[in-house]
Amino acid sequence: MKKKVLFTGLALALGAGYALTAFSQAKPEVLVKQRQSAMTLQGKYFGPLVGMLKGAPYDANVVARNAAYLDTLSQMPWDGFAESTKGEKTRALPAVYSDPGKFKQAQDQLRTAVGALVAASAGGNEGAVKAAIGDVGKACGNCHDNFREKQ
Amino acid sequence: MKKKVLFTGLALALGAGYALTAFSQAKPEVLVKQRQSAMTLQGKYFGPLVGMLKGAPYDANVVARNAAYLDTLSQMPWDGFAESTKGEKTRALPAVYSDPGKFKQAQDQLRTAVGALVAASAGGNEGAVKAAIGDVGKACGNCHDNFREKQ
């Protein structure tokens, strides 16, 4: 009985389409869905910080929480850009696959900017935090400019 | 020039459809996309752990990393189940909205199980880690059984 409950839970937890082995073997469409999910959640938690640059009330607690979330989320999209996904219909530009060094640099720029935002949000200086939010935005924009099709 | 680059970056970072104010004001379809993204990523990082229960090689480093990721991700879906999303076409059952207390309990069960997995993965006992993985699976399954439409 216990075993049955366990396996029901696990099957449901995984849903359809997830490989039970290492996720590097996941299907291309699953990898795309996963990397787009990471981008969606980065947008969810970065959006309110941009709002604070644009006049929404500054909330240091929200900044600190979202910065920590972004520190985790900004590690998640990259392994989804596997060679196997080249044929999927997405906005990823060919440069993702033809210039992996530059793509990695753009990822590192984001990771560095998010790390600086985490540090700034711990420091408590609103001006420094806002500058750090701006730098994260530049890192997002730099990567999108070079590696994502314009809409 | 600097300002232009900044705003280009920010606009791209947010993409279409994100409110610039607090995300509690996000459109229902955005909330749904965000909560589903959190579920997708929980699947991405929980899947390999289930694989280890089912015979894939045990890798303590992967467990520790994924447990930490899940500790963050498992905080993310819940504010997406706002009343405003009741009319969206999703697999969320009416009980999400009619029995918020039980829904919250199911969320807490997951958070507790993930916390125990983080602790177990720091402890380094493979048997304890695997039991903790099973408990996370049960928490996923319990919530899906009660709050998600069967496929």
Side-chain angles (χ1 to χ4, degrees), chain A residues 46-58 130 133, chain B residues 3 6-12 14 18-21:
Chain A
F46 189 53
L49 308 192
V50 176
M52 292 178 201
L53 289 195
K54 298 199 165 192
Y58 183 73
K130 288 186 169 176
I133 293 171
Chain B
K3 195 154 187 179
L6 173 63
F7 277 97
T8 303
L10 297 176
L12 285 163
L14 289 170
Y18 289 105
L20 283 176
T21 50

Side-chain angles (χ1 to χ4, degrees), chain A residues 118-137:
Chain A
V118 170
S121 70
N125 178 318
E126 184 177 328
V129 168
K130 288 186 169 176
I133 293 171
D135 286 342
V136 172

